[in-house]
Amino acid sequence: MDSRQGSLFVDWEFSDNSSELNNNDEAQEVVSASSASTSTGTSSASAGFASTGAGVNNLVDDRADEDPFAPLAARLRPRNLQEYIGQSHLLGPGKPLRQALERGQCYSMILWGPPGVGKTTLAFIIAKSTNAKLEQISAVASGIKDIREAIERAKERRRHNVRTILFVDEVHRFNKAQQDAFLPYIENGTVIFIGATTENPSFQVNSALLSRARVYVLKKLNNEELDQLIDCALTSPRGLASLNLTFDDRVRAALKELSDGDARHLLTTLEMLSDDAAPLPDGRKVITFAMVGAVAGRRLISYDKGGDAYYDLISAFHKSVRGSDPDAALYWYARILEAGGEPLYVARRLLAIATEDIGLADPQAMQIGLNAWDIFTRVGETEGQRAIAQAAVYMALAPKSNHLYTAFGKARSDASKLPSFEVPLYIRNAPTKLMEELGYHNGYRYAHDYPLGYAPGECFLPEELHGRSYYQPSNRGFEDYLLKRMQYLKQLDAIAPASEQRYDAEHAKRMQEQLQRYNPDLFDESDTNSHH
């Protein structure tokens, strides 16, 4: 057993000059004959020596580019790394995986990523790059029998120094017993295993299989990569070049937004649009923005995230929640979704509303907004959209207050415009003897030493800001309780004996008058009235 199998690398290297691999003609004839003799009445074993495996489980048709009736996504499937778009963090120049493939090496791996980002295509390219035969299994339609047949074909190839890559799509759909069936053949090098999954392999793939494979995370295609894909589709002879299509930037932006980083989805939509493209006098065919909306099955408001129409919808939603109208909030939220808006953008806006428009009038609003976000990310889009709708209705009906929002803005303004006043010595820590000698912590009054857990007459602001007030609760919702609480604490301050007062009774007034004299722009009418 290879010592490297502890880390589950099956780094087989074959010489380009190897007689066994020169066109593989002789090997194919021998294997096909011997495989046929062990076949169980089907031709799957001999057919398995086709470059992409055998049977109904084929996920990749490597001759689709020659078939005019094949879908556009199949015709444009990259044939090598140079044609592959996306995943530059894995396949860019100098990246370890690319270097291994350029050397003809391969090892077992799991490709984890969302739909349409090139997992199946990458397995196909790996097989071609490493001169291996690709066995394809879909966990949706296959079982133990299909696995055994694929393994038998791989064993036969191995006798003739031909390696096999076993590609399992949707591997997370196999149960533990089915996943375990691969282990001995990965271990002894019969197959190089490549699994593809849209689910987190840490939870959906058993640990024994995970320990024998590297996990690579594939990402959604970004805007630049989607542009490359569109250009390729429009100009490639395998694509839509013969149709001479044209469209404006709004259509291009809509295609990218609708695809959400899914290459297959983008190409499928573009192909559908090409069927409806309208002829122009100069021989070209045009795809309009309205056509995109019709093919998408919904009206498109704007896919330019900086567009006025998009922000008009967001503004209408925010103002409806702030205005305590749950019906309008639901309607505008639904419009945003129908326009292709991102649900989590609405969830973020709800959290802004919870802190800006509701605040401490209902502290629970923030948690409900976070819960809705959590449900969307943990459970899925359908349930998540409903959870966000629930949060929107709750916040629309919650008591409103922007007092915390304005208080924080006022504190930030003071912090940025006023001098950096010293922290009073009595509320500084004194971790060293020297600091104690300098007066740090001296005179600090520990709140829990007092019967009500409150040290009346104390001041925790810098002396220069004594009497400065930021937060004034409203009388709505929970803030009504907070208002009464603050009034009670101020009463305790007022009746505290002089020995417990940090400063004399007129100190706060003097400090505020001095502050206003030098910084009048920091004071509004309410501040002025509170000190007179």
Side-chain angles (χ1 to χ4, degrees):
M1 177 176 171
D2 195 320
S3 62
R4 292 171 294 175
Q5 288 182 1
S7 60
L8 264 292
F9 286 134
V10 191
D11 292 337
W12 300 1
E13 291 194 58
F14 285 71
S15 167
D16 290 337
N17 299 321
S18 171
S19 60
E20 289 94 351
L21 291 180
N22 283 339
N23 298 321
N24 289 317
D25 290 338
E26 288 187 33
Q28 290 187 35
E29 292 177 8
V30 173
V31 175
S32 296
S34 59
S35 298
S37 67
T38 61
S39 173
T40 58
T42 71
S43 61
S44 61
S46 58
F49 216 82
S51 63
T52 56
V56 297
N57 290 325
N58 272 7
L59 305 167
V60 174
D61 180 0
D62 58 350
R63 296 183 179 87
D65 58 343
E66 304 168 4
D67 181 1
F69 299 105
L72 178 61
R75 301 201 308 271
L76 281 180
R77 188 181 296 277
R79 297 164 295 188
N80 50 53
L81 288 175
Q82 288 67 40
E83 294 181 359
Y84 193 89
I85 296 174
Q87 316 313 324
S88 58
H89 63 295
L90 300 177
L91 297 170
K95 298 297 182 181
L97 179 56
R98 186 185 186 106
Q99 290 180 330
L101 297 180
E102 289 173 343
R103 292 193 301 268
Q105 297 175 334
C106 185
Y107 39 79
S108 293
M109 66 183 73
I110 296 200
L111 306 176
W112 172 29
V117 297
K119 299 185 293 294
T120 302
T121 297
L122 182 54
F124 175 68
I125 291 174
I126 289 173
K128 294 188 75 172
S129 299
T130 57
N131 209 10
K133 299 305 174 183
L134 184 68
E135 285 283 352
Q136 305 171 62
I137 291 178
S138 169
V140 175
S142 305
I144 291 291
K145 178 176 179 291
D146 301 285
I147 297 173
R148 287 173 179 163
E149 290 176 354
I151 293 298
E152 287 304 313
R153 292 191 291 269
K155 287 179 178 177
E156 201 62 49
R157 295 188 191 102
R158 195 182 187 199
R159 295 188 186 102
H160 299 276
N161 289 333
V162 178
R163 55 183 162 180
T164 298
I165 290 177
L166 179 59
F167 175 68
V168 182
D169 194 30
E170 305 282 354
V171 64
H172 61 275
R173 293 182 180 269
F174 273 152
N175 60 35
K176 185 179 185 300
Q178 290 169 316
Q179 292 182 26
D180 285 345
F182 300 116
L183 299 179
Y185 307 105
I186 298 172
E187 193 77 39
N188 66 20
T190 299
V191 297
I192 301 168
F193 177 85
I194 299 180
T197 178
T198 57
E199 304 295 329
N200 189 332
S202 300
F203 303 116
Q204 302 296 336
V205 178
N206 72 47
S207 56
L209 187 53
L210 273 180
S211 70
R212 291 163 170 78
R214 288 189 180 183
V215 176
Y216 288 109
V217 180
L218 278 69
K219 302 176 182 178
K220 292 180 179 181
L221 273 64
N222 61 34
N223 274 343
E224 182 180 340
E225 292 161 349
L226 292 173
D227 276 325
Q228 292 178 38
L229 186 62
I230 292 172
D231 293 339
C232 176
L234 295 177
T235 59
S236 171
R238 292 185 289 145
L240 304 172
S242 62
L243 299 181
N244 202 12
L245 295 171
T246 184
F247 46 77
D248 62 22
D249 288 343
R250 282 211 312 162
V251 171
R252 179 178 286 262
L255 283 169
K256 293 188 289 184
E257 188 71 24
L258 280 168
S259 73
D260 192 27
D262 182 331
R264 183 169 51 247
H265 187 285
L266 185 148
L267 293 175
T268 301
T269 303
L270 183 56
E271 185 173 28
M272 294 169 66
L273 288 167
S274 71
D275 294 335
D276 295 333
L280 295 173
D282 61 4
R284 294 180 300 163
K285 291 183 176 181
V286 64
I287 296 172
T288 67
F289 189 70
M291 291 175 185
V292 182
V295 167
R298 63 192 183 199
R299 288 169 295 174
L300 299 174
I301 303 302
S302 173
Y303 283 93
D304 176 5
K305 283 305 195 306
D308 291 340
Y310 180 81
Y311 283 113
D312 285 347
L313 288 178
I314 293 295
S315 177
F317 172 76
H318 191 144
K319 289 178 173 63
S320 298
V321 177
R322 178 189 290 153
S324 300
D325 188 334
D327 296 321
L330 285 173
Y331 172 75
W332 293 119
Y333 173 45
R335 282 281 303 275
I336 291 166
L337 295 181
E338 285 302 308
E342 171 60 51
L344 286 182
Y345 184 90
V346 178
R348 285 192 291 272
R349 182 56 64 101
L350 283 172
L351 289 172
I353 290 170
T355 58
E356 177 182 342
D357 298 301
I358 298 173
L360 288 170
D362 187 351
Q364 185 68 13
M366 189 186 300
Q367 187 59 55
I368 286 176
L370 288 171
N371 288 347
W373 188 311
D374 201 29
I375 289 170
F376 189 96
T377 56
R378 285 174 180 264
V379 182
E381 185 168 0
T382 301
E383 297 81 0
Q385 288 180 2
R386 289 199 302 269
I388 294 169
Q390 180 174 323
V393 169
Y394 181 92
M395 292 191 197
L397 294 175
K400 304 299 190 295
S401 170
N402 70 343
H403 289 218
L404 177 65
Y405 175 77
T406 55
F408 182 57
K410 187 175 176 181
R412 286 295 301 267
S413 177
D414 280 8
S416 65
K417 295 179 179 179
L418 292 174
S420 299
F421 298 123
E422 293 290 328
V423 176
L425 286 177
Y426 54 89
I427 56 174
R428 298 189 193 185
N429 285 331
T432 68
K433 185 68 174 175
L434 175 61
M435 288 179 173
E436 285 184 14
E437 292 173 353
L438 292 174
Y440 285 36
H441 202 67
N442 184 34
Y444 171 64
R445 298 163 65 201
Y446 184 56
H448 298 290
D449 288 341
Y450 294 80
L452 297 175
Y454 179 70
E458 189 56 275
C459 176
F460 294 94
L461 283 167
E463 181 179 359
E464 297 85 349
L465 292 179
H466 184 212
R468 186 75 164 145
S469 177
Y470 299 113
Y471 178 57
Q472 292 293 326
S474 71
N475 59 358
R476 298 184 291 275
F478 187 68
E479 277 196 329
D480 186 50
Y481 165 78
L482 297 178
L483 177 62
K484 292 181 173 60
R485 174 70 178 168
M486 285 185 68
Q487 290 170 343
Y488 172 66
L489 296 177
K490 288 184 183 300
Q491 288 175 358
L492 293 180
D493 289 339
I495 64 175
S499 60
E500 292 186 352
Q501 298 285 351
R502 177 61 60 180
Y503 303 112
D504 64 67
E506 296 297 315
H507 185 270
K509 182 179 178 181
R510 294 196 303 272
M511 291 297 101
Q512 290 307 296
E513 288 175 347
Q514 177 178 303
L515 189 65
Q516 186 175 8
R517 189 179 308 121
Y518 295 107
N519 302 276
D521 58 313
L522 297 180
F523 287 77
D524 56 29
E525 186 176 346
S526 62
D527 293 313
T528 303
N529 292 337
S530 65
H531 299 295
H532 293 282

